[in-house]
């Protein structure tokens, strides 16, 4: 974790796996500038995924109501967040409205990440993590969370995530995958059709645009 020292607002850089803040602590409101952060509720069994924060999202708004952080926020890819200073009542009220609209958007994402076939849930996660402005044609790239994080976010087993990636690579949708990143055909990923049972180790994709040879 590293902090820059700008004149007024702190910019925090987080490596993959580093926390921005912990549940129950007090601090400041943050705005995510890059990357992706998962928010977890801490249960007896351990962290339980609640939702995903993306660039532009505000984190820690519960502090404005004099509550401690409700969730633990942890980067799932290299990320940066800037301190959001809200000195007056008007700024705080506008931040709460912004946070309400943000929650509605992220609620839609959580539904797509947690319901339907596992391959569709992983597809939505990859598209969500793809930077805005990525050309439709050619290869898209995105920072890649760990297999364990992806499995927790889309509510499936790590082995299932690995099998889906194996199928994506076999059918040439996934051009390359490293420990912390992936490149893939954005247009083919968006248009791919997913037959039932493709998460089996011997499964295969049926593409809506190009068939693998």
């Amino acid at each position: 974790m590293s902090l820059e020292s700008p004149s007024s607002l702190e910019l925090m850089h987080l490596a993959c796996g580093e926390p921005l803040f912990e549940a129950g602590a007090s601090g400041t409101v943050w705005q995510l500038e890059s990357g992706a952060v998962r928010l977890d509720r801490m249960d007896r069994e351990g962290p339980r995924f609640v939702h995903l924060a993306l660039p532009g999202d505000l984190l820690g708004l519960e502090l404005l109501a004099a509550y401690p952080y409700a969730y633990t926020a942890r980067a799932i890819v290299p990320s940066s967040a800037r301190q959001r200073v809200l000195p007056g009542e008007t700024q705080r009220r506008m931040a709460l409205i912004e946070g309400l609209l943000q929650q509605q958007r992220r609620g839609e994402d959580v539904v797509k990440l947690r319901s339907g076939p596992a391959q569709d849930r992983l597809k939505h996660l990859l598209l969500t993590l793809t930077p805005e402005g990525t050309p439709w044609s050619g290869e898209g790239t995105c920072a890649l969370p760990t297999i364990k994080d992806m499995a927790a976010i889309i509510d499936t087993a790590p082995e299932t995530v690995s099998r889906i990636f194996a199928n994506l690579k076999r059918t040439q949708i996934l051009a390359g995958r490293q420990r912390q990143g992936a490149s893939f055909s954005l247009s083919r990923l968006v248009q791919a059709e997913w037959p039932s049972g493709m998460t089996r180790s011997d499964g295969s994709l049926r593409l809506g645009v190009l068939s693998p040879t």
Side-chain angles (χ1 to χ4, degrees), residues 126-134 140-143:
L126 291 176
L127 294 175
T128 297
L129 295 175
T130 301
E132 290 188 12
T134 299
T141 60
C142 69

Side-chain angles (χ1 to χ4, degrees), residues 171-173 185 187-188 191-192 205-213:
T171 55
Q172 302 176 3
I173 290 179
S185 169
S187 60
R188 293 184 72 194
Q191 298 180 40
L205 285 173
R206 182 179 70 253
L207 301 181
V209 285
L210 294 174
S211 297
T213 56

Side-chain angles (χ1 to χ4, degrees), residues 3 12 32 34 43 75 84 148 166 171 191 197:
L3 288 174
M12 182 179 290
L32 194 64
S34 65
D43 292 339
R84 181 77 175 261
K148 184 177 180 180
T171 55
Q191 298 180 40

Side-chain angles (χ1 to χ4, degrees), residues 118 122 146-152 154-167 177 198-201:
L122 183 60
T146 65
I147 293 290
K148 184 177 180 180
D149 273 330
M150 288 188 282
I154 68 171
D155 193 25
T156 191
E159 294 78 10
T160 300
V161 174
S162 295
R163 286 197 294 270
I164 297 172
F165 270 114
N167 277 280
R177 175 189 163 204
M198 72 145 284
T199 55
R200 297 194 305 265
S201 59

